[in-house]
Amino acid sequence: MELHWKWLIIVYLFLGGLGAGAYLTSYAAQKGWLGKSPALNKAGYFIAAPVVAAGTVLLVFDLGQGLRKPWLLIGLILNPRSVMTWGVYILAAFILVGLVAAYFAWKNAKAPSALVNAGAVLALGTGAYTGMLIAVVKAIPFWNNYLTPVLFVVSALSTGMSATLLLAHFMEKGKAMDEAKLNKIHLGLVVAELVALGAWLAVPLSGAKGSVAVQSASSLIS
């Protein structure tokens, strides 16, 4: 059996991680972990919810049947044993909280700490969920890897930080950010991603997922 996920799912997986990472970047900036940059405190919040919402719309389009018979989508919220049901709740909550956080940022007002902290937890959940979608596919042993969500979270932090820094650069209008500190953190994320990727590949190469997974991993690296 060969399983094909079309470009809509691929784009969603990227956008889900990007939005989650962007939110966490501005969250970290507000905590003072990324140096002083007013724009960096806001940019990620402006990106997060719209990007994840756009990715969620792509999921609905990919379902196909859900567009022709939308009432079937109700099943997505009624099966607590399904990873997709978990995702519906996580994505819906994150988009809602992200929009509220973006509103406060746009108004230059301080959002309630409970709201911002809840958003950070939901952002981690969103980043991990995109990896979990792949990790639970037992039909493809190479994907069925408990480290997949970890790899996706680290990747989300890296891509989200890139997008947030880019938007913050234009919002700052030439004002300097603590580039040395930001570059070190970003480099650290890239190294962490490489380590996570190596550990992720080590699982199938060890034979723990069977000979098919070994062949897939070997084909990928050689």
Side-chain angles (χ1 to χ4, degrees):
M1 183 185 76
E2 189 172 0
L3 181 65
H4 291 280
W5 279 2
K6 298 180 181 179
W7 69 271
L8 291 175
I9 292 293
I10 295 170
V11 174
Y12 157 70
L13 292 173
F14 177 75
L15 292 180
L18 176 66
Y23 185 99
L24 290 170
T25 299
S26 280
Y27 178 80
Q30 280 192 331
K31 295 292 184 180
W33 302 338
L34 303 181
K36 293 182 179 180
S37 171
L40 203 58
N41 293 354
K42 303 176 184 178
Y45 296 139
F46 295 148
I47 295 171
V51 164
V52 174
T56 304
V57 171
L58 294 182
L59 278 181
V60 176
F61 276 101
D62 182 76
L63 287 172
Q65 185 79 329
L67 290 175
R68 293 189 294 272
K69 300 177 181 179
W71 57 87
L72 294 179
L73 295 175
I74 296 175
L76 288 176
I77 63 175
L78 299 178
N79 185 8
R81 298 174 61 185
S82 170
V83 174
M84 291 192 72
T85 297
W86 305 349
V88 170
Y89 289 120
I90 292 172
L91 291 175
F94 178 64
I95 291 170
L96 179 61
V97 172
L99 286 173
V100 176
Y103 174 78
F104 276 100
W106 179 56
K107 288 293 187 178
N108 292 317
K110 184 177 180 181
S113 58
L115 175 81
V116 177
N117 291 337
V121 173
L122 290 168
L124 285 172
T126 299
Y129 164 68
T130 53
M132 190 70 71
L133 270 179
I134 294 176
V136 298
V137 180
K138 295 183 180 179
I140 302 181
F142 180 59
W143 291 0
N144 188 218
N145 189 326
Y146 63 91
L147 288 176
T148 305
V150 176
L151 180 62
F152 269 62
V153 168
V154 179
S155 177
L157 291 172
S158 178
T159 55
M161 187 174 188
S162 295
T164 304
L165 287 173
L166 183 61
L167 179 58
H169 171 75
F170 291 106
M171 289 174 61
E172 288 282 13
K173 297 180 180 179
K175 294 181 182 178
M177 290 185 284
D178 192 347
E179 293 187 8
K181 186 172 186 177
L182 292 170
N183 287 339
K184 287 180 180 179
I185 293 173
H186 212 165
L187 179 60
L189 288 174
V190 173
V191 171
E193 192 169 3
L194 290 173
V195 172
L197 180 61
W200 182 78
L201 285 170
V203 173
L205 287 173
S206 70
K209 295 298 179 179
S211 59
V212 174
V214 173
Q215 292 174 9
S216 297
S218 298
S219 176
L220 179 64
I221 62 178
S222 62

